[in-house]
Amino acid sequence: MDELNYVLIIGLTILLIDVILRLILLRNELSFNRRKYDEEKTLRDKHQKWLKDETTKLKVVAQPLSVHLKKELTKDVTWLTSAMIQAKVGPDSKTLFLERLGHFEVEKKFIAEKFVPLLLARCKQHIEKDKKVCLLIDSGTTLYDFFEKLSDDIVNIKLKKQDWIDNVFVATNNLPGLQVAMEKGRINPNDRFSQIAFKCHLFPGEPLSIYAAVTGDVTIEALDGLKKNFKHTFGLKEDPKDIVFIGITVGNWIRIRRNMPHCPVPMARGKGHLAFKQKIVECSDEVFVIAPLGKVFKNVGDEEINAELGLKKDFVYPDDEIYDDLSIENDNPLTNPSKIKLVSTSRVEYKNLLFTHSEALRPLLKPDEGGSMSEYDIKLVNHIMFPFYNLPDNKYFEEETEFPHKSTRNSKFLRIFFNVHLQL
């Protein structure tokens, strides 16, 4: 009996010790959790105080900053036009012009940045020989950035009090380009009544919303009679003695003329477009055809291009209409190919898709990077190809950038016309 009591006492003692130990652990855990809570609360309080202090500081900084931003954004609202274009809202939102504005976007801006200063330097050279210069500027998305750069540079020249710039005149049928000129070309962007820094004339004619331009017989007649009516058109006091007309034109595609001398031949389709481009060439003493490299064909005719694109004369939908060439003839002084120069880009890195195509154009065109623009005689001016590097590293994205038209992104088309061999 004593032995049984002894076992019971030992068992109860062990149970009691276990309960005591559990209570001690529970107490310690509760104590630890309380200290953790107190520390986290202190940290939360500190963070809340820091957040409150930083918010107060931010408000102090943001108030004058917002006033300054408002002042700057309303000073020059051209950013709003660009934003509307990118967002596809505004008057041009449903036009083919806006749809194609993003094609070759970086390359077109690059060409404008490089070429406009060279062009204005050439204008100055003519003006210093007691001439006036009139730029006949075509419609098209390629010339949107051209208008912006031209307006910026003329304003800067005007602000430097260089009076020769007053002898540069602009005539165009390009509606979005003229809109940019009205915004970027103001001498004082803070003054809504400020005059445009250069004389600019919009040709009359039939507005074509899909192309954001005016064209038609009236437009052609106005362009054809511009030299005769120059004084009246630009509000001059007397008829100018000598005017150099410089045509700036583009094409849906550009092909290099097969026979000598080689020159760019713009291709176009759609109501009135080809006729207006033809008249620009005929009325100009000098012609510069601006085009991204991926729009320039080598050693092919319009029949081959139309056939490969599946276009035909008896079209039903406008997208199926064939492209026609401008008429460039050696024995016609109005279309002498020696006065027509290409302004494009080149590819100098072997890895680029258009490197081989770029190199193949060199023997035909013998281009430079604009150095010969200082030559007075247009016949001595070389074609221009600016080295262009700003391309995606990824081949898929490079292909999309160089050939934004889906109809051209097929292996046969790229192989035949651009010597591009895609590896699937």
Side-chain angles (χ1 to χ4, degrees):
M1 188 69 180
D2 292 337
E3 185 177 340
L4 180 60
N5 290 335
Y6 179 74
V7 171
L8 288 172
I9 292 171
I10 292 176
L12 288 172
T13 303
I14 292 173
L15 181 61
L16 180 62
I17 293 172
D18 180 66
V19 170
I20 293 171
L21 288 174
R22 288 179 181 275
L23 289 173
I24 292 173
L25 287 174
L26 181 60
R27 186 190 65 181
N28 290 341
E29 185 176 353
L30 288 172
S31 177
F32 172 77
N33 287 336
R34 179 175 293 278
R35 287 199 305 272
K36 182 180 177 182
Y37 175 80
D38 291 341
E39 289 174 359
E40 288 178 348
K41 185 175 183 303
T42 302
L43 189 61
R44 285 196 300 271
D45 291 342
K46 287 182 179 179
H47 180 71
Q48 190 172 5
K49 183 178 183 302
W50 175 85
L51 192 60
K52 184 178 180 181
D53 292 342
E54 291 302 311
T55 302
T56 303
K57 292 178 184 177
L58 187 59
K59 286 181 179 179
V60 173
V61 174
Q63 189 170 3
L65 182 61
S66 62
V67 174
H68 179 70
L69 272 174
K70 179 182 177 182
K71 183 179 178 181
E72 289 300 314
L73 290 176
T74 53
K75 184 186 295 183
D76 179 5
V77 296
T78 52
W79 62 271
L80 182 57
T81 302
S82 299
M84 289 176 68
I85 288 172
Q86 295 298 324
K88 296 189 177 182
V89 297
D92 300 321
S93 60
K94 303 299 182 183
T95 65
L96 186 63
F97 175 93
L98 185 63
E99 179 185 322
R100 292 180 176 171
L101 188 62
H103 294 177
F104 309 103
E105 183 177 7
V106 176
E107 189 174 358
K108 288 185 290 192
K109 188 178 289 291
F110 171 79
I111 293 173
E113 291 288 334
K114 299 288 285 185
F115 178 62
V116 168
L118 295 173
L119 177 64
L120 288 177
R122 184 166 182 81
C123 292
K124 182 180 180 182
Q125 187 181 42
H126 286 306
I127 292 165
E128 287 175 345
K129 293 186 180 293
D130 202 25
K131 300 175 184 287
K132 294 187 184 299
V133 175
C134 182
L135 301 178
L136 304 177
I137 305 179
D138 197 2
S139 61
T141 59
T142 301
L143 295 176
Y144 185 83
D145 292 307
F146 176 89
F147 259 107
E148 184 172 5
K149 177 61 176 173
L150 181 70
S151 302
D152 278 338
D153 283 11
I154 290 180
V155 168
N156 290 333
I157 293 169
K158 189 83 171 177
L159 292 175
K160 293 176 182 177
K161 310 295 183 183
Q162 298 183 25
D163 294 337
W164 66 267
I165 199 65
D166 294 334
N167 293 295
V168 174
F169 301 82
V170 172
T172 186
N173 72 332
N174 191 323
L175 296 174
L178 187 61
Q179 183 181 358
V180 170
M182 289 190 294
E183 294 176 352
K184 300 290 287 187
R186 286 181 295 159
I187 299 173
N188 182 0
N190 298 323
D191 182 4
R192 61 181 177 177
F193 298 106
S194 178
Q195 296 291 319
I196 298 178
F198 53 96
K199 292 279 189 179
C200 190
H201 173 68
L202 176 66
F203 287 115
E206 179 184 353
L208 295 180
S209 59
I210 191 170
Y211 293 111
V214 295
T215 188
D217 292 340
V218 174
T219 313
I220 301 298
E221 290 172 8
L223 174 53
D224 201 27
L226 183 60
K227 186 173 185 178
K228 180 181 177 181
N229 301 316
F230 201 84
K231 172 186 171 182
H232 173 72
T233 300
F234 289 103
L236 304 180
K237 294 181 180 179
E238 57 184 27
D239 288 313
K241 296 178 181 178
D242 202 352
I243 310 169
V244 178
F245 287 91
I246 301 179
I248 309 295
T249 189
V250 296
N252 296 112
W253 298 102
I254 309 295
R255 71 175 188 85
I256 302 303
R257 191 168 178 261
R258 281 170 159 167
N259 48 329
M260 296 287 289
H262 300 298
C263 77
V265 180
M267 302 172 63
R269 67 181 180 183
K271 184 178 179 180
H273 280 278
L274 192 73
F276 185 77
K277 295 174 191 298
Q278 184 73 48
K279 188 56 66 175
I280 282 183
V281 172
E282 293 174 359
C283 291
S284 298
D285 302 294
E286 307 174 2
V287 180
F288 295 96
V289 180
I290 301 178
L293 183 61
K295 293 179 72 171
V296 181
F297 291 101
K298 168 189 168 287
N299 200 31
V300 292
D302 58 341
E303 301 91 349
E304 298 159 81
I305 297 167
N306 286 321
E308 195 58 43
L309 289 173
L311 307 178
K312 45 200 171 186
K313 291 183 179 179
D314 300 327
F315 65 94
V316 176
Y317 192 67
D319 277 349
D320 296 327
E321 183 181 0
I322 63 170
Y323 294 104
D324 283 322
D325 278 347
L326 263 65
S327 176
I328 309 295
E329 301 171 352
N330 288 18
D331 55 356
N332 183 351
L334 297 180
T335 62
N336 189 331
S338 297
K339 72 175 183 178
I340 305 172
K341 309 298 178 180
L342 177 70
V343 180
S344 186
T345 59
S346 64
R347 303 293 179 269
V348 294
E349 296 185 344
Y350 181 78
K351 65 179 182 177
N352 293 144
L353 291 176
L354 284 176
F355 173 79
T356 304
H357 180 65
S358 174
E359 291 299 296
L361 289 172
R362 289 187 181 279
L364 289 177
L365 300 177
K366 298 179 174 58
D368 63 17
E369 295 178 30
S372 59
M373 283 286 281
S374 60
E375 296 284 353
Y376 187 74
D377 190 341
I378 186 62
K379 294 179 182 179
L380 301 177
V381 175
N382 294 330
H383 300 284
I384 299 172
M385 294 178 71
F386 301 112
F388 183 64
Y389 300 91
N390 195 358
L391 291 164
D393 290 332
N394 181 287
K395 286 296 179 186
Y396 175 81
F397 293 123
E398 183 183 357
E399 181 191 350
E400 279 199 332
T401 300
E402 298 282 41
F403 304 100
H405 301 275
K406 290 183 179 179
S407 59
T408 65
R409 287 204 301 272
N410 71 75
S411 57
K412 183 181 177 184
F413 183 92
L414 297 180
R415 184 181 68 256
I416 293 174
F417 296 124
F418 292 96
N419 208 1
V420 171
H421 301 269
L422 296 179
Q423 294 181 353
L424 299 180

